[in-house]
Amino acid sequence: MEGKTALIAGATGLIGNGLLHVLIDAPEYKKVYALVRRPLEINHPKLMEVVVDFDRLIDYKHYFAVDDVFICLGTTIKKAKTQEAMYKIDVDYPVEIGRIAKECGAKHYLVVSSMNADSKAKLFYPRMKGELEEKVQNLGFEKLSIFRPSLLLGDRKEFRLGEEVGAFLSKGLTFLFVGSLRKYKAIQGKTVAKAMYKVAQQKEQGKTIFASEEIENIGRQ
Ligand SMILES: NC(=O)c1ccc[n+]([C@@H]2O[C@H](COP(=O)([O-])OP(=O)(O)OC[C@H]3O[C@@H](n4cnc5c(N)ncnc54)[C@H](OP(=O)(O)O)[C@@H]3O)[C@@H](O)[C@H]2O)c1
């Protein structure tokens, strides 16, 4: 059968779950492998759910020989409890998945980072995302796409106070997010997902970093 193969990590999350549905419905993909730690409860002929121990990713190497690798993993400090635990999910797992996939011949690595990612930042979160970006650049993929969304909007099962307040302000103050401030405008998780899928179909090689307003433009086309 013609078509590409994809590996996705984070398929139970806001962006990742939206992306998973886009990928399995897309004619460009014949198979989508979803690395999860709990079942997805979706059945689809193109989907292969792989329940893994993320601390032993190398044991699942035989699923990593794909065309496109999509990383939508992440957590919050509230859930992770410590910065070390958060770093493991937001940086170590994405880098290890990329390392194994590159070794298995994957061509394109697409990862969700965050607005303001900066390895020199004083604050932990932007510094962590900046370090993620630096580490994935060292993996040597032919094509690397880094997505830096602003505050994410969408339906979550859990309540995140900071994001709810941010979303409320962002919606109420839409008129402020023009010109150079457009990159701060909140963005729907499903728009990020659509943009990742579209970028995966583009032929250009090399590294590209997509700011939130660019993600919005691509995802809404
Ligand atoms: N929230 C925002 O406003 C915002 C803004 C900019 C960038 N971002 C970044 O965007 C990315 C995606 O965000 P999102 O809101 O779509 O994420 P999300 O809904 O919180 O989903 C996170 C995904 O990571 C998985 N995950 C979490 N802990 C894990 C662990 N210990 N082992 C394996 N998998 C684990 C989750 O799996 P389970 O379902 O099994 O937990 C889920 O699939 C994240 O990197 C985030 O930092 C977020």
Side-chain angles (χ1 to χ4, degrees):
M1 206 203 334
E2 294 279 308
K4 299 199 285 179
T5 51
L7 181 76
I8 176 169
T12 49
L14 182 65
I15 296 177
N17 197 253
L19 178 60
L20 178 75
H21 283 90
V22 172
L23 295 179
I24 56 180
D25 285 341
E28 292 87 352
Y29 293 94
K30 62 177 178 190
K31 197 87 197 164
V32 178
Y33 299 96
L35 301 183
V36 287
R37 57 176 179 164
R38 58 187 171 91
L40 281 160
E41 290 161 16
I42 308 171
N43 282 314
H44 190 283
K46 281 198 217 168
L47 173 65
M48 173 131 191
E49 172 186 291
V50 189
V51 179
V52 301
D53 174 351
F54 279 80
D55 290 320
R56 299 176 59 93
L57 285 161
I58 194 73
D59 293 353
Y60 311 88
K61 194 177 174 178
H62 42 289
Y63 296 109
F64 284 62
V66 296
D67 297 294
D68 300 333
V69 180
F70 296 91
I71 306 290
C72 311
L73 286 172
T75 190
T76 58
I77 195 70
K78 191 176 168 198
K79 274 195 195 167
K81 308 270 194 295
T82 64
Q83 292 186 350
E84 290 71 27
M86 188 173 185
Y87 197 94
K88 187 160 122 172
I89 297 158
D90 278 65
V91 180
D92 295 344
Y93 291 161
V95 173
E96 178 65 353
I97 292 169
R99 189 190 67 75
I100 302 168
K102 175 74 178 62
E103 217 175 274
C104 294
K107 301 280 184 294
H108 188 182
Y109 182 93
L110 305 94
V111 62
V112 184
S113 173
S114 179
M115 183 177 72
N116 297 333
D118 177 2
S119 63
K120 308 267 180 311
K122 288 210 167 64
L123 290 173
F124 171 70
Y125 185 80
R127 189 172 69 246
M128 174 184 74
K129 293 298 190 186
E131 289 180 15
L132 165 71
E133 293 188 5
E134 286 185 0
K135 288 185 178 187
V136 299
Q137 285 176 52
N138 290 333
L139 293 171
F141 278 91
E142 281 171 26
K143 184 168 177 177
L144 170 67
S145 304
I146 296 173
F147 297 80
R148 288 183 176 172
S150 58
L151 179 73
L152 296 176
L153 300 174
D155 292 332
R156 291 188 189 278
K157 290 194 183 92
E158 80 202 80
F159 180 73
R160 295 183 181 177
L161 179 64
E163 289 181 18
E164 292 288 335
V165 172
F168 177 77
L169 291 176
S170 188
K171 281 177 192 156
L173 304 173
T174 312
F175 61 90
L176 284 179
F177 300 103
V178 290
S180 60
L181 295 180
R182 268 191 73 207
K183 66 177 176 190
Y184 297 108
K185 189 175 168 226
I187 184 166
Q188 291 287 339
K190 62 182 179 206
T191 306
V192 182
K194 195 80 184 292
M196 292 179 84
Y197 155 69
K198 287 198 170 174
V199 167
Q201 313 322 313
Q202 295 171 355
K203 297 278 176 267
E204 299 80 11
Q205 301 291 296
K207 179 189 84 174
T208 316
I209 296 180
F210 297 91
S212 207
E213 72 267 35
E214 294 171 292
I215 301 173
E216 182 86 45
N217 288 340
I218 299 167
R220 292 186 69 171
Q221 274 166 24

